Amino acid sequence: SGHDVKSMGLRCFAQTAAALFGVLIVVLWAVHPNQYDYLRTTRVMTSRYASPLHSRGFPTSSVGFNRYVRVGALPMSGIPGITPIPSPPDTGLSFPIVKPDPHDTYDLMMGRRRGSRYSGDNKNNKPPDVNDEDGLNIVITGAAGRTGKLLAQDLWGMDEGVRQVRCVVHSAKSQSELNSDGLYDTHIADVYKNPKALEDPMDEADVLVILTSAMPKIKTRSLIRLAFAKLFRRKAARPKFRFKQTPEQVDWIGQKNQIDEAKRAGVKHVILVSSMGGSDPSNMLNKIGDGNILLWKRKAERYLISSGLNYTIIHPGGLTDKPGDFEPILGVDDTLLKRPTRSISRRDLVEVILQAIFEPAAIGKAFDVIASETPRDDSEYDWDAFFASAGHCDYSTPDVESILAIGKVLASRAAVAA
């Protein structure tokens, strides 16, 4: 009947509109630079930030009575409705009163501070020329990424063991996103196109932490096709991806450039954060954008091992944005991929990187790491024993060029046979 046709038309229109709206939301989320940065919490502390080096015997301040308040993406100061911090329980301890710092924000999803610290000689939150005269000069490349930001925040907040932190980012846009408060010593360098820009931040550096990686972007058209396939209940292919700079350019040539510059500058220790799955050429990550990203990462790892530099290579499992603070689990050669849960939070990965910077036992190791479900007590956890027990991944498998050449031969044989 006419009524049924009209009802069907309205239903079809509503479904189409809903699908297009969903596509719009997904596209906006995919292109937004801070899609994971929308939750914040502010922490009011009654003492300075306790340094992660407490387990290494450095003097640190005791953390006093704390209170956490959810305040969206805003700092605490000037927000109506926030009540004063309540008095701590009577424990016989005294707690100094500290004025809340408007820059002292925490990532609710990440779990730690974003970059402010309480220090008598740093009241204006300006990046000091020197934190600790006897500390390390540390360079972080890929510092504007989610993991890089967390690492920069933690290192910047340390009073002992760190002399300077230099953050290398890809572009002026990344620099403004990372350094909106003017807290960090940032340098712009395209590690693929302009490796000479690495000379300044690498000068007199002690440790280099490589966090650069090619980033896939979803092709918008593939999302639209996927939405319409869902709408009309048709079998849909997976979304397609592209790279602005390919894994060969970033994860191989770009990382090789960084290793070469580190060697020229006399860097004492290079920590390369890669990914699990590199031992399997058929891993699904290699199919994203036809980039073979894990194969190119593996080639850079081989280059670092043969460079003669002190190195630590870390293969984290799937990265999550959970708060973390769980004990890590070690593995080699992707054996951890057989486990039902094979992920690690960025917060826990950053803790592994931090400890690798200061633990000599981490040097000369190439290992996989995921998080367990056991909470970690940093005051008692033995990081020296952790790194001492780490194995070394096997790099005797064919390199990326050999694997790709074999793949082409097999493909041509299949075409001839067909």
Side-chain angles (χ1 to χ4, degrees):
S1 66
H3 178 73
D4 292 337
V5 171
K6 184 177 180 180
S7 298
M8 289 177 63
L10 288 172
R11 274 201 306 271
C12 190
F13 174 79
Q15 290 175 345
T16 304
L20 291 175
F21 180 74
V23 169
L24 177 63
I25 294 297
V26 171
V27 170
L28 289 175
W29 176 88
V31 301
H32 194 278
N34 295 313
Q35 61 262 48
Y36 290 101
D37 238 4
Y38 55 85
L39 290 177
R40 294 278 186 261
T41 187
T42 294
R43 183 180 189 182
V44 180
M45 300 186 67
T46 59
S47 66
R48 291 184 305 169
Y49 178 59
S51 166
L53 292 180
H54 61 82
S55 62
R56 297 285 296 152
F58 289 91
T60 60
S61 303
S62 60
V63 177
F65 186 77
N66 302 300
R67 183 184 179 210
Y68 291 81
V69 185
R70 291 193 183 191
V71 294
L74 301 172
M76 181 175 176
S77 61
I79 297 177
I82 300 297
T83 56
I85 185 169
S87 299
D90 185 12
T91 59
L93 300 174
S94 61
F95 296 89
I97 298 174
V98 178
K99 182 180 178 181
D101 186 337
H103 294 288
D104 189 31
T105 52
Y106 266 58
D107 263 311
L108 183 61
M109 299 182 74
M110 305 302 190
R112 295 292 176 89
R113 71 175 46 241
R114 293 183 61 209
S116 177
R117 63 182 188 165
Y118 291 100
S119 177
D121 58 355
N122 195 35
K123 296 177 182 178
N124 296 320
N125 285 293
K126 299 296 182 183
D129 292 331
V130 174
N131 285 3
D132 177 1
E133 281 282 4
D134 298 323
L136 300 172
N137 289 332
I138 301 171
V139 178
I140 308 169
T141 59
R146 280 177 281 162
T147 304
K149 286 178 183 177
L150 283 173
L151 180 60
Q153 289 156 14
D154 275 12
L155 286 170
W156 190 90
M158 291 170 61
D159 291 324
E160 298 89 21
V162 177
R163 189 173 191 273
Q164 283 186 322
V165 182
R166 302 165 188 167
C167 299
V168 179
V169 298
H170 178 73
S171 63
K173 181 182 178 182
S174 298
Q175 184 182 45
S176 64
E177 290 173 358
L178 173 68
N179 209 27
S180 58
D181 294 330
L183 297 177
Y184 303 113
D185 177 15
T186 55
H187 302 257
I188 299 174
D190 186 319
V191 297
Y192 168 61
K193 293 182 178 179
N194 187 23
K196 282 190 173 294
L198 293 167
E199 293 180 2
D200 185 34
M202 291 280 196
D203 185 39
E204 297 185 359
D206 298 301
V207 179
L208 167 64
V209 181
I210 299 177
L211 288 168
T212 52
S213 181
M215 296 298 294
K217 300 287 185 182
I218 298 176
K219 290 184 177 180
T220 307
R221 289 183 180 179
S222 71
L223 283 178
I224 295 173
R225 292 194 192 98
L226 180 62
F228 275 101
K230 292 283 187 181
L231 176 63
F232 296 104
R233 298 180 181 179
R234 295 177 180 174
K235 185 177 180 181
R238 292 181 176 179
K240 294 184 178 180
F241 297 84
R242 60 180 176 82
F243 290 96
K244 188 174 181 180
Q245 285 188 329
T246 67
E248 180 180 4
Q249 294 169 336
V250 179
D251 294 274
W252 161 231
I253 300 174
Q255 291 188 3
K256 176 181 179 295
N257 289 338
Q258 295 174 66
I259 294 165
D260 289 342
E261 182 56 33
K263 192 168 185 177
R264 183 205 65 78
V267 173
K268 301 178 180 67
H269 185 192
V270 177
I271 299 174
L272 173 57
V273 181
S274 187
S275 179
M276 279 172 56
S279 66
D280 180 13
S282 64
N283 188 290
M284 62 171 293
L285 293 180
N286 288 321
K287 300 175 184 177
I288 294 178
D290 295 324
N292 292 299
I293 188 167
L294 297 181
L295 299 182
W296 293 114
K297 285 180 180 290
R298 195 81 166 180
K299 185 173 179 66
E301 294 168 28
R302 295 172 189 270
Y303 188 79
L304 174 58
I305 291 171
S306 64
S307 69
L309 292 165
N310 288 330
Y311 67 86
T312 303
I313 298 172
I314 303 172
H315 302 128
L319 295 176
T320 72
D321 294 312
K322 296 178 181 179
D325 291 331
F326 292 98
E327 291 189 2
I329 299 175
L330 283 168
V332 292
D333 301 327
D334 296 327
T335 55
L336 296 178
L337 290 177
K338 299 175 183 178
R339 299 174 67 98
T341 302
R342 45 189 182 271
S343 61
I344 184 170
S345 71
R346 295 178 191 277
R347 178 67 263 156
D348 285 335
L349 172 59
V350 165
E351 190 64 33
V352 173
I353 299 170
L354 278 172
Q355 298 297 337
I357 291 172
F358 299 101
E359 289 287 354
I363 293 176
K365 300 296 178 68
F367 56 86
D368 309 336
V369 63
I370 61 174
S372 69
E373 296 181 356
T374 305
R376 186 184 69 249
D377 183 354
D378 281 331
S379 65
E380 297 182 359
Y381 195 78
D382 190 343
W383 286 101
D384 181 72
F386 170 81
F387 289 114
S389 65
H392 197 288
C393 292
D394 180 13
Y395 287 89
S396 63
T397 54
D399 62 17
V400 60
E401 284 88 355
S402 300
I403 292 171
L404 294 178
I406 292 169
K408 288 180 181 179
V409 170
L410 294 177
S412 63
R413 286 179 182 175
V416 170

